[in-house]
Amino acid sequence: MALQEYECPACGGAMEFNPKTQKLKCPYCDSEFDVKDYVANHNSSSTGTPTESTSSETGESEPLFIYSCGSCGGEIITTESLGSTKCPFCSNNIVVKEKFTGEFKPDYIIPFAKTKEDAVSTYKSYVAERKLVPPVFAEKNHIDEIRGIYVPFWLYDATEHFSGEYKATKHRSWSDSRYYYTETKYYSVLREGTESFKQVPVDASKEMPDDLMDSLEPFDRSKMLSFNMGYLAGFLANKYNVSSEESISRALSRMEHTTTIDFQQTVSGYDSVTPVNVTCSTVNSSHKYALYPVYILNTSWNGQNYLFAMNGQTGKFVGKLPFSFTQALKYYIPFALGFTALAYIAMFFFM
Ligand SMILES: [Zn+2]
Ligand SMILES: [Zn+2]
């Protein structure tokens, strides 16, 4: 398998995609290159051999692949879906080309716009605001574990055809000196039409929790670009391992739900509306494949998993950090004592 490497033409250093300048940058000599120009002109010559082995630690048989680094010859171990990574020995950035070409070639990519430093400072202030988290979460070697990763997504376009029949009523009541009158008018309301959707995203990675990816939305798709391998340099990237056929039902049911609500909302001005017969069906659909940028810190502590994730484009983040009882004591006890002392003094003066 061919590996794409990002050797600096000036000094041979390992270049990385820089979210600030949106260019490939060499951290050693500061040379910068346009992503498209570089990848077109520098095709890597080195190859790696995938060696299928079985991970014995987890007991599950997830195949691991071993590539030899074109720069130092060291062994780079990846999972089946991980296609962009760093050599652990020389920090060379490599992309396994086969994971992002042919049937796995993404149509689009949203490049990282936030740097790892942005993610680190967001994480630090998140931890600082929560004074009750265990100190281990604020330690440097822990923070260094924050990783930028491109997550695979399916983007669905579809048109939904809707047809609905509703029973609706309008009430009127009045009275005169002898009687109290109520009048109920009955209506049969019909609605029919189509609603079109563009680029409804569904994450295409088994490893990513669906609810987490949903909570990192929205991504600004107006900044989405045609895929180029250069954007992957220095970041992790997964290829999809959930097919578009498996994911489409999630997208279509979201669209059907929205269409049904949108049409029902046009039935207005009545006192009651009851659906009698409502159908929604997909007329046509198509999909594209895209990579989205996410920073992730995954920690297990005291037997539980904790997660910090940040949208690599907008900086929006979600976190779930633990609560430490020892920290709570340290933080609250001086405050509680101080308060009691004040109350005591106050009592003393007023007696
Ligand atoms: Zn250089
Ligand atoms: Zn290496």
Side-chain angles (χ1 to χ4, degrees):
M1 286 197 173
L3 302 182
Q4 170 76 50
E5 297 177 39
Y6 302 91
E7 216 172 63
C8 170
C11 76
M15 295 202 297
E16 294 184 349
F17 175 69
N18 184 311
K20 273 202 185 117
T21 59
Q22 298 284 298
K23 288 185 170 178
L24 279 168
K25 185 175 183 178
C26 172
Y28 306 99
C29 72
D30 286 340
S31 296
E32 281 195 330
F33 299 89
D34 191 85
V35 169
K36 288 187 198 104
D37 297 344
Y38 180 85
V39 175
N41 298 326
H42 296 82
N43 259 321
S44 159
S45 54
S46 74
T47 56
T49 325
T51 314
E52 216 167 312
S53 72
T54 311
S55 126
S56 52
E57 259 177 46
T58 56
E60 291 164 26
S61 56
E62 197 200 6
L64 294 174
F65 292 86
I66 301 169
Y67 298 93
S68 66
C69 172
S71 171
C72 74
E75 284 188 340
I76 304 170
I77 298 173
T78 74
T79 59
E80 200 273 331
S81 52
L82 186 69
S84 176
T85 187
K86 235 181 216 319
C87 169
F89 306 103
C90 72
S91 294
N92 188 18
N93 297 311
I94 65 130
V95 171
V96 182
K97 283 185 183 173
E98 281 77 358
K99 309 235 165 163
F100 299 103
T101 51
E103 62 177 313
F104 296 114
K105 182 177 188 274
D107 298 291
Y108 305 114
I109 185 165
I110 296 178
F112 274 90
K114 299 286 173 193
T115 60
K116 185 174 170 180
E117 291 69 48
D118 295 332
V120 167
S121 71
T122 304
Y123 174 78
K124 277 185 180 162
S125 49
Y126 172 64
V127 170
E129 273 167 31
R130 283 160 185 74
K131 297 201 167 52
L132 306 180
V133 303
V136 61
F137 282 83
E139 281 166 13
K140 187 180 175 301
N141 60 353
H142 178 72
I143 292 172
D144 283 345
E145 291 293 305
I146 292 180
R147 295 273 180 268
I149 179 164
Y150 282 105
V151 179
F153 270 82
W154 296 113
L155 305 178
Y156 295 95
D157 287 1
T159 300
E160 293 291 324
H161 177 263
F162 179 86
S163 154
E165 183 191 343
Y166 305 88
K167 278 214 156 31
T169 59
K170 277 184 188 174
H171 306 290
R172 199 159 66 96
S173 49
W174 68 95
S175 58
D176 57 24
S177 54
R178 293 171 61 203
Y179 294 106
Y180 184 76
Y181 304 88
T182 59
E183 175 197 82
T184 303
K185 287 182 176 171
Y186 293 88
Y187 298 85
S188 175
V189 185
L190 302 175
R191 288 288 183 272
E192 185 163 2
T194 58
E195 186 167 356
S196 292
F197 296 85
K198 285 245 169 288
Q199 299 180 338
V200 174
V202 177
D203 86 82
S205 172
K206 272 183 200 139
E207 294 82 11
M208 285 289 155
D210 291 344
D211 57 340
L212 173 77
M213 293 319 300
D214 289 347
S215 52
L216 286 176
E217 290 267 338
F219 286 85
D220 178 4
R221 283 191 292 279
S222 70
K223 303 229 168 64
M224 198 154 68
L225 304 172
S226 292
F227 177 73
N228 187 302
M229 241 179 256
Y231 298 112
L232 306 184
F235 294 94
L236 301 175
N238 277 341
K239 74 169 180 62
Y240 69 82
N241 54 11
V242 183
S243 71
S244 67
E245 291 76 26
E246 284 173 87
S247 308
I248 193 168
S249 62
R250 262 188 82 204
L252 292 183
S253 70
R254 277 169 75 182
M255 295 183 213
E256 278 176 21
H257 183 70
T258 305
T259 306
T260 307
I261 288 173
D262 287 348
F263 273 93
Q264 173 145 356
Q265 274 173 352
T266 67
V267 186
S268 57
Y270 300 97
D271 294 313
S272 78
V273 175
T274 315
V276 181
N277 190 8
V278 167
T279 59
C280 194
S281 56
T282 307
V283 187
N284 55 54
S285 69
S286 61
H287 64 268
K288 297 283 185 197
Y289 175 34
L291 297 180
Y292 281 8
V294 176
Y295 283 102
I296 277 202
L297 180 61
N298 203 345
T299 309
S300 64
W301 185 75
N302 267 7
Q304 275 191 290
N305 282 321
Y306 299 95
L307 195 83
F308 167 86
M310 183 171 116
N311 182 319
Q313 182 191 31
T314 65
K316 179 185 179 186
F317 76 95
V318 288
K320 196 184 120 216
L321 284 182
F323 176 91
S324 154
F325 190 64
T326 353
Q327 284 296 105
L329 288 181
K330 268 197 231 159
Y331 189 60
Y332 280 123
I333 283 179
F335 178 75
L337 285 180
F339 188 77
T340 318
L342 269 180
Y344 199 76
I345 293 166
M347 239 168 67
F348 183 78
F349 274 107
F350 285 104
M351 265 173 52

